[in-house]
Amino acid sequence: MSKRILENPFIELQGVTKAFGRTPVLQGLDLAVARSEVACIIGPSGSGKSTVLRCINALTPVDSGRVEVAGIRVDSARLDAQALRKRVGIVFQGYNLFPHRTVLQNVMMAPIQVLGRERSEVEAQARALLAKVRLTGKENAYPGELSGGQQQRVAIARSLCMQPEVMLFDEVTAALDPETVKEVLSVIQEIAAEGMTCVLVTHEMRFAQEAADYVYFMDQGRVVEHGSADALFRAPQDARTRAFLDKVL
Ligand code: ADP
Ligand code: MG
């Protein structure tokens, strides 16, 4: 399938390759996401989805190809990774909250320490974000006192408190109880509705179908098929996409 052409992509990967040792993981990957768009990456385990997200915020350096995010050349040898990561938030399956810090402290820490912002201003924002992720009243709780879904929402609020322009979500609901998955997904949907550019790796096909503007299906380090959520789920073109969707839908 030919690559997606966007006039003004906010995130663009072109011909990206990456190998770990002798194992090729990304094999000429093309991907483009517009500003304020919600893009989902789906595909079998091991197809390279997490690696794509890690290449977008420079946690994993690419071997070749071009990566540009919010006007920053991520593949440049002179990349300022700190500057990039201020603009690109990432939330993982494991929430990685500091267990001996309260919910509020977890959210406030990075904006104060990394961005040097003023404490009272950060606190006001942190409280507002905790309200947005529906955790008002939990400000002084410790992570261990919260459910998985609540901890994940703290992790999302913490990431948002850095005021990023892009949010990456890597299977953020994969470890959650089914009844808490929805509360996390609806928070993500709200963030997206407010115009945040979001790239999600997810196994939640119904969520992808409903919330994504655009969907990439990956297999073996390549984008096999891409299209609007509507087109890709209703009428997948490639046999590999069909086989995958048959299994997971
Ligand atoms: P997905 O998220 O689609 O399951 P990943 O991007 O995590 O896939 O991984 C793709 C492939 O790269 C897998 O075969 C995985 O074992 C391998 N891989 C990922 N990260 C590393 C690493 N740091 N070192 C070695 N191999 C890795
Ligand atoms: Mg993964």
Side-chain angles (χ1 to χ4, degrees):
M1 193 178 215
S2 59
K3 70 180 185 190
R4 183 187 191 196
I5 307 288
L6 280 175
E7 204 166 294
N8 206 359
F10 201 54
I11 300 172
E12 187 170 44
L13 284 78
Q14 275 183 354
V16 168
T17 69
K18 177 69 190 178
F20 290 109
R22 290 195 177 169
T23 312
V25 172
L26 300 180
Q27 311 194 65
L29 183 119
D30 298 314
L31 183 145
V33 180
R35 187 167 209 146
S36 292
E37 194 169 63
V38 179
C40 280
I41 304 175
I42 62 171
S45 178
S47 56
K49 306 181 297 298
S50 295
T51 304
V52 170
L53 295 189
R54 297 171 63 86
C55 289
I56 289 174
N57 82 340
L59 287 171
T60 297
V62 303
D63 293 337
S64 67
R66 192 170 164 280
V67 181
E68 189 168 330
V69 178
I72 299 173
R73 274 297 289 271
V74 179
D75 56 288
S76 161
R78 295 196 311 267
L79 171 74
D80 180 348
Q82 278 266 39
L84 175 75
R85 288 187 204 131
K86 284 175 192 169
R87 301 174 69 174
V88 182
I90 187 162
V91 182
F92 301 98
Q93 180 175 324
Y95 340 108
N96 304 314
L97 300 174
F98 292 100
H100 304 299
R101 300 290 178 102
T102 66
V103 164
L104 186 65
Q105 287 168 341
N106 265 281
V107 176
M108 290 175 60
M109 212 178 299
I112 292 171
Q113 291 177 5
V114 179
L115 302 181
R117 283 168 53 200
E118 211 255 309
R119 173 171 291 274
S120 62
E121 178 229 349
V122 172
E123 179 169 342
Q125 194 201 356
R127 289 185 184 279
L129 285 169
L130 286 168
K132 182 202 282 261
V133 301
R134 294 180 205 95
L135 288 173
T136 299
K138 297 291 186 192
E139 292 85 353
N140 299 317
Y142 288 88
E145 299 169 332
L146 304 181
S147 73
Q150 290 172 328
Q151 291 187 58
Q152 192 57 288
R153 283 180 284 147
V154 175
I156 292 171
R158 177 180 56 176
S159 205
L160 289 173
C161 207
M162 291 292 282
Q163 303 178 314
E165 292 167 63
V166 176
M167 284 285 288
L168 310 175
F169 297 93
D170 194 355
E171 296 196 25
V172 292
T173 61
L176 301 180
D177 295 329
E179 66 269 27
T180 61
V181 166
K182 217 172 171 182
E183 61 197 27
V184 172
L185 293 180
S186 61
V187 161
I188 295 174
Q189 221 156 353
E190 261 174 54
I191 296 164
E194 288 169 9
M196 178 68 73
T197 307
C198 296
V199 186
L200 291 104
V201 171
T202 185
H203 288 305
E204 300 287 336
M205 292 302 141
R206 210 199 298 164
F207 177 80
Q209 200 161 2
E210 283 171 16
D213 298 302
Y214 209 79
V215 180
Y216 287 90
F217 170 70
M218 279 184 68
D219 193 23
Q220 299 188 351
R222 289 192 180 88
V223 171
V224 168
E225 182 165 354
H226 55 90
S228 70
D230 216 42
L232 194 127
F233 285 103
R234 247 181 254 260
Q237 300 296 304
D238 193 283
R240 287 167 289 181
T241 319
R242 286 198 293 269
F244 176 76
L245 292 178
D246 274 346
K247 259 191 251 170
V248 297
L249 280 181

